Amino acid sequence: MKTFVIGIGGVTNGGKTTLAKNLQKHLPNCSVISQDDFFKPQSEIEIDKNGFLQYDVLEALNMEKMMSTISCWMKSPRHSPVSTDWRNAEEVPILIIEGFLLFNYNTRVYEPPDPPGYFDGHVWPMYLKHRQEIEDIEEIVYLDGTKSEEDLFSQVYEDLRQELAKQKCGTMLVCQQRALERH
C-alpha cells in the first residue's frame, strides 16, 4: 500500500503540534504521531549543572517506542492505534510525524512553567545544535516562524496538496501504463 509521510521538526514550543493537528483536520486519511508522547519518565531524565531537567536531548525520549509506533502505522495504516477515521478508502494514507528532534535520529504540558532563562539558556541553544546536524538534508523545507499561524498553515497545506497531486498523478500513470500493457 502506498503511504505519504510528512515530518515536522523545529524548536520546542514552536507550533509543530498546532500545525500538525490543523493539517490533520484538512487532509483525508491523516494520522499524527507526536514525539512529545515518547518522553521517558521524569525519574529517567538527567539534570544539568544549572538544575534543569534535560528534556531537549535525544536521551530524554524513548525513540525505540516511537519508531515501533511508526513501523506499526506503516505496516497497516488503517488499523494502527494512532489512525483516525478514514474518510475515503481511495485516498493515500497520510502520516504526520512531529517533534523537536525528529530529523536527528499528548503535547508536553508546561506545569510548572519553565524557570526563567530556561528557553534562552538551554532550549534554543540545543535546538540550534540539533538543527545544524540536519541542515544538509535537501528534502527539508524550513518555515519562517515569524509568519502567522494561518500563513504557515496555508503554505504547508498548499505544498502538501501539490505533492499529493504529484503522487496521485504518478500512480494514475502507472495504472494506465499497466492497463495498456494488458491490451
Side-chain angles (χ1 to χ4, degrees):
M1 169 185 286
K2 192 169 199 166
T3 59
F4 191 77
V5 179
I6 301 160
I8 302 174
V11 67
T12 295
N13 206 20
K16 299 174 299 298
T17 301
T18 300
L19 178 60
K21 288 182 178 182
N22 204 355
L23 288 167
Q24 184 179 31
K25 290 177 191 174
H26 290 84
L27 295 170
N29 304 343
C30 184
S31 303
V32 174
I33 294 176
S34 175
Q35 196 172 45
D36 283 352
D37 293 335
F38 297 93
F39 277 108
K40 293 177 181 174
Q42 184 174 341
S43 61
E44 296 179 32
I45 307 297
E46 291 188 29
I47 299 173
D48 73 1
K49 64 182 181 202
N50 298 316
F52 296 130
L53 288 168
Q54 297 297 289
Y55 281 108
D56 290 281
V57 296
L58 224 59
E59 294 76 22
L61 296 159
N62 185 338
M63 290 301 291
E64 294 79 20
K65 186 175 178 183
M66 182 176 167
M67 295 307 293
S68 175
T69 301
I70 293 168
S71 178
C72 179
W73 186 93
M74 296 294 287
K75 288 178 188 167
S76 184
R78 286 179 169 75
H79 304 294
S80 168
V82 298
S83 292
T84 57
D85 294 332
W86 292 91
R87 292 183 239 165
N88 184 342
E90 300 298 315
E91 295 289 336
V92 173
I94 300 168
L95 176 62
I96 298 174
I97 308 167
E98 62 92 3
F100 68 103
L101 289 177
L102 187 60
F103 297 106
N104 300 81
Y105 171 178
N106 282 301
T107 306
R108 181 165 43 154
V109 177
Y110 294 96
E111 275 302 319
D114 290 336
Y118 182 70
F119 186 85
D120 291 334
H122 176 71
V123 173
W124 189 251
M126 291 305 289
Y127 165 71
L128 292 176
K129 174 185 177 272
H130 295 306
R131 179 179 164 164
Q132 187 175 13
E133 293 172 2
I134 61 162
E135 289 215 339
D136 293 334
I137 300 174
E138 292 179 21
E139 296 86 20
I140 295 175
V141 175
Y142 292 97
L143 300 176
D144 180 355
T146 63
K147 290 185 179 178
S148 72
E149 180 180 319
E150 294 79 20
D151 287 345
L152 291 172
F153 170 77
S154 295
Q155 177 188 344
V156 173
Y157 184 67
E158 187 55 35
D159 287 350
L160 291 174
R161 283 178 21 93
Q162 289 177 15
E163 189 61 35
L164 288 166
K166 286 183 204 172
Q167 298 271 332
K168 200 180 271 190
C169 184
T171 301
M172 289 176 18
L173 290 174
V174 170
C175 293
Q176 289 174 354
Q177 181 181 3
R178 286 187 184 144
L180 291 172
E181 290 171 359
R182 287 187 210 145
H183 293 297

Short mmCIF file of all heavy atoms in Angstrom, two decimals, residues 22-66:
data_model
loop_
_atom_site.label_atom_id
_atom_site.label_comp_id
_atom_site.label_asym_id
_atom_site.label_seq_id
_atom_site.Cartn_x
_atom_site.Cartn_y
_atom_site.Cartn_z
N ASN A 22 -3.78 20.92 12.73
CA ASN A 22 -4.55 21.71 11.76
C ASN A 22 -4.53 21.01 10.39
O ASN A 22 -5.55 20.93 9.71
CB ASN A 22 -3.98 23.12 11.67
CG ASN A 22 -4.98 24.13 11.18
OD1 ASN A 22 -6.11 23.81 10.81
ND2 ASN A 22 -4.59 25.38 11.18
N LEU A 23 -3.37 20.51 9.99
CA LEU A 23 -3.29 19.77 8.73
C LEU A 23 -4.15 18.51 8.79
O LEU A 23 -4.83 18.17 7.82
CB LEU A 23 -1.83 19.40 8.43
CG LEU A 23 -0.93 20.55 8.01
CD1 LEU A 23 0.53 20.12 8.05
CD2 LEU A 23 -1.31 21.07 6.63
N GLN A 24 -4.13 17.83 9.92
CA GLN A 24 -4.90 16.60 10.08
C GLN A 24 -6.40 16.86 9.86
O GLN A 24 -7.10 16.03 9.28
CB GLN A 24 -4.66 16.00 11.47
CG GLN A 24 -5.35 14.67 11.68
CD GLN A 24 -5.08 14.10 13.05
OE1 GLN A 24 -4.88 14.82 14.01
NE2 GLN A 24 -5.06 12.78 13.14
N LYS A 25 -6.88 18.00 10.32
CA LYS A 25 -8.30 18.35 10.13
C LYS A 25 -8.66 18.52 8.66
O LYS A 25 -9.80 18.33 8.28
CB LYS A 25 -8.63 19.65 10.87
CG LYS A 25 -8.62 19.55 12.36
CD LYS A 25 -8.90 20.93 12.97
CE LYS A 25 -8.64 20.95 14.45
NZ LYS A 25 -8.76 22.30 15.01
N HIS A 26 -7.68 18.90 7.84
CA HIS A 26 -7.96 19.24 6.45
C HIS A 26 -7.54 18.17 5.44
O HIS A 26 -7.92 18.25 4.27
CB HIS A 26 -7.27 20.56 6.08
CG HIS A 26 -7.88 21.74 6.75
ND1 HIS A 26 -7.54 22.13 8.04
CD2 HIS A 26 -8.84 22.59 6.34
CE1 HIS A 26 -8.25 23.18 8.37
NE2 HIS A 26 -9.05 23.49 7.36
N LEU A 27 -6.73 17.21 5.86
CA LEU A 27 -6.26 16.18 4.94
C LEU A 27 -7.00 14.86 5.19
O LEU A 27 -7.15 14.45 6.34
CB LEU A 27 -4.75 15.96 5.12
CG LEU A 27 -3.86 17.14 4.76
CD1 LEU A 27 -2.42 16.87 5.21
CD2 LEU A 27 -3.91 17.41 3.26
N PRO A 28 -7.45 14.21 4.13
CA PRO A 28 -8.15 12.93 4.32
C PRO A 28 -7.19 11.83 4.77
O PRO A 28 -6.02 11.84 4.41
CB PRO A 28 -8.71 12.64 2.93
CG PRO A 28 -7.81 13.37 2.00
CD PRO A 28 -7.33 14.58 2.73
N ASN A 29 -7.71 10.91 5.56
CA ASN A 29 -6.95 9.72 5.97
C ASN A 29 -5.61 10.07 6.60
O ASN A 29 -4.58 9.46 6.30
CB ASN A 29 -6.73 8.78 4.78
CG ASN A 29 -8.03 8.36 4.14
OD1 ASN A 29 -9.10 8.49 4.71
ND2 ASN A 29 -7.96 7.86 2.93
N CYS A 30 -5.61 11.04 7.50
CA CYS A 30 -4.38 11.57 8.08
C CYS A 30 -4.26 11.23 9.56
O CYS A 30 -5.19 11.46 10.33
CB CYS A 30 -4.34 13.09 7.88
SG CYS A 30 -2.83 13.86 8.46
N SER A 31 -3.11 10.68 9.93
CA SER A 31 -2.81 10.36 11.33
C SER A 31 -1.60 11.20 11.76
O SER A 31 -0.78 11.59 10.94
CB SER A 31 -2.46 8.88 11.47
OG SER A 31 -3.52 8.07 10.99
N VAL A 32 -1.49 11.42 13.08
CA VAL A 32 -0.37 12.21 13.62
C VAL A 32 0.32 11.42 14.73
O VAL A 32 -0.34 10.85 15.59
CB VAL A 32 -0.86 13.57 14.19
CG1 VAL A 32 0.28 14.31 14.88
CG2 VAL A 32 -1.46 14.43 13.08
N ILE A 33 1.64 11.40 14.69
CA ILE A 33 2.45 10.86 15.78
C ILE A 33 3.31 12.00 16.30
O ILE A 33 4.04 12.63 15.52
CB ILE A 33 3.32 9.67 15.33
CG1 ILE A 33 2.43 8.49 14.93
CG2 ILE A 33 4.31 9.27 16.43
CD1 ILE A 33 3.19 7.29 14.39
N SER A 34 3.21 12.27 17.59
CA SER A 34 3.94 13.37 18.21
C SER A 34 5.09 12.84 19.06
O SER A 34 4.88 11.99 19.93
CB SER A 34 2.98 14.19 19.09
OG SER A 34 3.69 15.17 19.79
N GLN A 35 6.28 13.36 18.83
CA GLN A 35 7.45 12.93 19.58
C GLN A 35 7.28 13.20 21.08
O GLN A 35 7.81 12.46 21.90
CB GLN A 35 8.69 13.64 19.04
CG GLN A 35 10.00 13.03 19.46
CD GLN A 35 11.17 13.67 18.74
OE1 GLN A 35 11.25 14.89 18.62
NE2 GLN A 35 12.09 12.85 18.26
N ASP A 36 6.51 14.24 21.42
CA ASP A 36 6.28 14.56 22.83
C ASP A 36 5.61 13.41 23.59
O ASP A 36 5.71 13.36 24.81
CB ASP A 36 5.41 15.82 22.96
CG ASP A 36 6.18 17.10 22.68
OD1 ASP A 36 7.42 17.03 22.53
OD2 ASP A 36 5.54 18.15 22.63
N ASP A 37 4.95 12.51 22.87
CA ASP A 37 4.29 11.39 23.51
C ASP A 37 5.27 10.28 23.92
O ASP A 37 4.85 9.27 24.50
CB ASP A 37 3.22 10.80 22.59
CG ASP A 37 2.07 11.76 22.36
OD1 ASP A 37 1.83 12.64 23.22
OD2 ASP A 37 1.41 11.64 21.31
N PHE A 38 6.54 10.47 23.64
CA PHE A 38 7.51 9.42 23.88
C PHE A 38 8.63 9.82 24.85
O PHE A 38 9.71 9.23 24.84
CB PHE A 38 8.10 8.93 22.54
CG PHE A 38 7.03 8.33 21.66
CD1 PHE A 38 6.36 9.12 20.73
CD2 PHE A 38 6.67 7.01 21.80
CE1 PHE A 38 5.36 8.58 19.94
CE2 PHE A 38 5.67 6.46 21.02
CZ PHE A 38 5.01 7.25 20.08
N PHE A 39 8.36 10.82 25.69
CA PHE A 39 9.35 11.17 26.72
C PHE A 39 9.44 10.05 27.75
O PHE A 39 8.43 9.43 28.10
CB PHE A 39 8.97 12.48 27.43
CG PHE A 39 9.38 13.70 26.69
CD1 PHE A 39 8.44 14.49 26.05
CD2 PHE A 39 10.72 14.06 26.60
CE1 PHE A 39 8.81 15.62 25.35
CE2 PHE A 39 11.11 15.20 25.90
CZ PHE A 39 10.15 15.97 25.28
N LYS A 40 10.64 9.82 28.23
CA LYS A 40 10.85 8.86 29.32
C LYS A 40 10.29 9.47 30.61
O LYS A 40 10.08 10.69 30.69
CB LYS A 40 12.35 8.58 29.48
CG LYS A 40 12.94 7.84 28.29
CD LYS A 40 14.44 7.65 28.48
CE LYS A 40 15.05 6.95 27.27
NZ LYS A 40 16.52 6.88 27.38
N PRO A 41 10.08 8.65 31.64
CA PRO A 41 9.60 9.20 32.92
C PRO A 41 10.59 10.22 33.48
O PRO A 41 11.80 10.12 33.25
CB PRO A 41 9.53 7.97 33.83
CG PRO A 41 9.52 6.79 32.93
CD PRO A 41 10.24 7.20 31.67
N GLN A 42 10.08 11.19 34.21
CA GLN A 42 10.92 12.26 34.76
C GLN A 42 12.08 11.71 35.57
O GLN A 42 13.18 12.26 35.56
CB GLN A 42 10.09 13.21 35.62
CG GLN A 42 10.88 14.40 36.14
CD GLN A 42 10.02 15.41 36.88
OE1 GLN A 42 8.82 15.43 36.73
NE2 GLN A 42 10.65 16.23 37.69
N SER A 43 11.88 10.58 36.23
CA SER A 43 12.94 9.99 37.05
C SER A 43 14.13 9.52 36.20
O SER A 43 15.22 9.33 36.72
CB SER A 43 12.38 8.81 37.85
OG SER A 43 11.89 7.80 36.97
N GLU A 44 13.93 9.38 34.89
CA GLU A 44 14.99 8.94 33.99
C GLU A 44 15.63 10.10 33.21
O GLU A 44 16.52 9.88 32.39
CB GLU A 44 14.45 7.91 33.00
CG GLU A 44 13.97 6.63 33.66
CD GLU A 44 13.41 5.64 32.65
OE1 GLU A 44 13.89 5.62 31.49
OE2 GLU A 44 12.51 4.89 33.02
N ILE A 45 15.19 11.33 33.47
CA ILE A 45 15.71 12.49 32.75
C ILE A 45 16.87 13.09 33.56
O ILE A 45 16.75 13.34 34.75
CB ILE A 45 14.61 13.56 32.55
CG1 ILE A 45 13.37 12.96 31.89
CG2 ILE A 45 15.15 14.76 31.77
CD1 ILE A 45 13.57 12.42 30.50
N GLU A 46 18.00 13.31 32.89
CA GLU A 46 19.17 13.89 33.56
C GLU A 46 18.95 15.35 33.89
O GLU A 46 18.16 16.03 33.25
CB GLU A 46 20.41 13.73 32.67
CG GLU A 46 20.85 12.28 32.54
CD GLU A 46 22.18 12.16 31.83
OE1 GLU A 46 23.01 13.10 31.91
OE2 GLU A 46 22.40 11.12 31.19
N ILE A 47 19.71 15.83 34.88
CA ILE A 47 19.66 17.23 35.30
C ILE A 47 21.01 17.85 34.99
O ILE A 47 22.05 17.27 35.28
CB ILE A 47 19.34 17.34 36.81
CG1 ILE A 47 17.97 16.72 37.11
CG2 ILE A 47 19.40 18.79 37.27
CD1 ILE A 47 17.63 16.62 38.58
N ASP A 48 20.99 19.06 34.38
CA ASP A 48 22.26 19.70 34.03
C ASP A 48 22.84 20.47 35.22
O ASP A 48 22.24 20.51 36.30
CB ASP A 48 22.11 20.61 32.79
CG ASP A 48 21.36 21.90 33.06
OD1 ASP A 48 20.95 22.17 34.21
OD2 ASP A 48 21.19 22.68 32.09
N LYS A 49 23.98 21.10 35.02
CA LYS A 49 24.67 21.81 36.11
C LYS A 49 23.87 22.98 36.66
O LYS A 49 24.12 23.43 37.77
CB LYS A 49 26.05 22.28 35.63
CG LYS A 49 25.98 23.30 34.52
CD LYS A 49 27.34 23.72 34.02
CE LYS A 49 27.14 24.77 32.94
NZ LYS A 49 28.18 24.94 32.06
N ASN A 50 22.90 23.49 35.89
CA ASN A 50 22.05 24.59 36.35
C ASN A 50 20.77 24.10 37.04
O ASN A 50 19.93 24.90 37.43
CB ASN A 50 21.67 25.51 35.18
CG ASN A 50 22.88 26.15 34.56
OD1 ASN A 50 23.77 26.63 35.26
ND2 ASN A 50 22.93 26.15 33.24
N GLY A 51 20.63 22.79 37.13
CA GLY A 51 19.45 22.21 37.77
C GLY A 51 18.26 22.00 36.85
O GLY A 51 17.17 21.67 37.31
N PHE A 52 18.44 22.17 35.52
CA PHE A 52 17.37 21.99 34.57
C PHE A 52 17.28 20.53 34.15
O PHE A 52 18.29 19.90 33.83
CB PHE A 52 17.58 22.83 33.31
CG PHE A 52 17.56 24.32 33.55
CD1 PHE A 52 18.58 25.12 33.05
CD2 PHE A 52 16.52 24.92 34.24
CE1 PHE A 52 18.56 26.49 33.24
CE2 PHE A 52 16.50 26.29 34.44
CZ PHE A 52 17.51 27.08 33.94
N LEU A 53 16.06 20.00 34.11
CA LEU A 53 15.85 18.68 33.54
C LEU A 53 16.16 18.75 32.05
O LEU A 53 15.74 19.68 31.37
CB LEU A 53 14.41 18.22 33.76
CG LEU A 53 14.06 17.85 35.21
CD1 LEU A 53 12.56 17.70 35.38
CD2 LEU A 53 14.76 16.56 35.60
N GLN A 54 16.87 17.78 31.54
CA GLN A 54 17.34 17.78 30.15
C GLN A 54 16.34 17.11 29.21
O GLN A 54 16.59 16.03 28.67
CB GLN A 54 18.70 17.09 30.08
CG GLN A 54 19.78 17.81 30.85
CD GLN A 54 20.02 19.18 30.28
OE1 GLN A 54 20.55 19.33 29.19
NE2 GLN A 54 19.59 20.20 31.01
N TYR A 55 15.20 17.77 28.99
CA TYR A 55 14.20 17.23 28.09
C TYR A 55 14.56 17.43 26.62
O TYR A 55 14.06 16.74 25.76
CB TYR A 55 12.83 17.89 28.35
CG TYR A 55 12.12 17.32 29.54
CD1 TYR A 55 11.99 18.03 30.72
CD2 TYR A 55 11.55 16.04 29.48
CE1 TYR A 55 11.33 17.51 31.82
CE2 TYR A 55 10.89 15.51 30.58
CZ TYR A 55 10.77 16.25 31.73
OH TYR A 55 10.12 15.72 32.80
N ASP A 56 15.41 18.40 26.32
CA ASP A 56 15.69 18.75 24.93
C ASP A 56 16.90 18.02 24.37
O ASP A 56 17.69 18.60 23.61
CB ASP A 56 15.84 20.27 24.80
CG ASP A 56 14.51 20.96 24.97
OD1 ASP A 56 13.73 20.97 24.00
OD2 ASP A 56 14.22 21.44 26.08
N VAL A 57 17.03 16.74 24.73
CA VAL A 57 18.08 15.89 24.19
C VAL A 57 17.45 14.54 23.81
O VAL A 57 16.43 14.14 24.35
CB VAL A 57 19.24 15.67 25.20
CG1 VAL A 57 19.96 16.98 25.50
CG2 VAL A 57 18.75 15.03 26.48
N LEU A 58 18.06 13.87 22.86
CA LEU A 58 17.53 12.60 22.38
C LEU A 58 17.40 11.55 23.49
O LEU A 58 16.47 10.75 23.48
CB LEU A 58 18.44 12.08 21.27
CG LEU A 58 17.75 11.51 20.05
CD1 LEU A 58 16.86 12.53 19.39
CD2 LEU A 58 18.75 10.96 19.07
N GLU A 59 18.31 11.61 24.45
CA GLU A 59 18.30 10.62 25.53
C GLU A 59 17.05 10.73 26.42
O GLU A 59 16.75 9.81 27.18
CB GLU A 59 19.55 10.76 26.39
CG GLU A 59 20.84 10.42 25.67
CD GLU A 59 21.33 11.51 24.71
OE1 GLU A 59 20.94 12.68 24.86
OE2 GLU A 59 22.07 11.16 23.78
N ALA A 60 16.31 11.83 26.34
CA ALA A 60 15.10 12.00 27.13
C ALA A 60 13.90 11.30 26.50
O ALA A 60 12.83 11.21 27.11
CB ALA A 60 14.78 13.49 27.30
N LEU A 61 14.09 10.79 25.29
CA LEU A 61 12.99 10.18 24.54
C LEU A 61 13.15 8.68 24.43
O LEU A 61 14.26 8.17 24.32
CB LEU A 61 12.94 10.78 23.13
CG LEU A 61 12.63 12.27 23.07
CD1 LEU A 61 13.09 12.85 21.75
CD2 LEU A 61 11.15 12.50 23.28
N ASN A 62 12.03 7.99 24.41
CA ASN A 62 12.03 6.55 24.14
C ASN A 62 11.84 6.40 22.63
O ASN A 62 10.73 6.16 22.15
CB ASN A 62 10.91 5.87 24.92
CG ASN A 62 10.95 4.37 24.76
OD1 ASN A 62 11.51 3.85 23.80
ND2 ASN A 62 10.33 3.67 25.70
N MET A 63 12.92 6.58 21.90
CA MET A 63 12.86 6.56 20.45
C MET A 63 12.52 5.17 19.90
O MET A 63 11.90 5.06 18.85
CB MET A 63 14.18 7.07 19.85
CG MET A 63 14.39 8.56 20.06
SD MET A 63 13.07 9.59 19.33
CE MET A 63 13.37 9.32 17.59
N GLU A 64 12.90 4.13 20.62
CA GLU A 64 12.56 2.78 20.17
C GLU A 64 11.04 2.61 20.14
O GLU A 64 10.49 2.06 19.19
CB GLU A 64 13.20 1.72 21.08
CG GLU A 64 14.70 1.67 21.02
CD GLU A 64 15.38 2.76 21.85
OE1 GLU A 64 14.75 3.34 22.77
OE2 GLU A 64 16.55 3.07 21.55
N LYS A 65 10.37 3.10 21.17
CA LYS A 65 8.91 3.01 21.22
C LYS A 65 8.28 3.86 20.11
O LYS A 65 7.32 3.43 19.46
CB LYS A 65 8.40 3.45 22.59
CG LYS A 65 6.93 3.25 22.79
CD LYS A 65 6.52 3.60 24.21
CE LYS A 65 5.02 3.43 24.39
NZ LYS A 65 4.58 3.82 25.74
N MET A 66 8.83 5.04 19.88
CA MET A 66 8.31 5.90 18.82
C MET A 66 8.49 5.22 17.46
O MET A 66 7.56 5.19 16.64
CB MET A 66 9.01 7.25 18.83
CG MET A 66 8.48 8.21 17.78
SD MET A 66 9.27 9.83 17.94
CE MET A 66 8.78 10.56 16.39
#
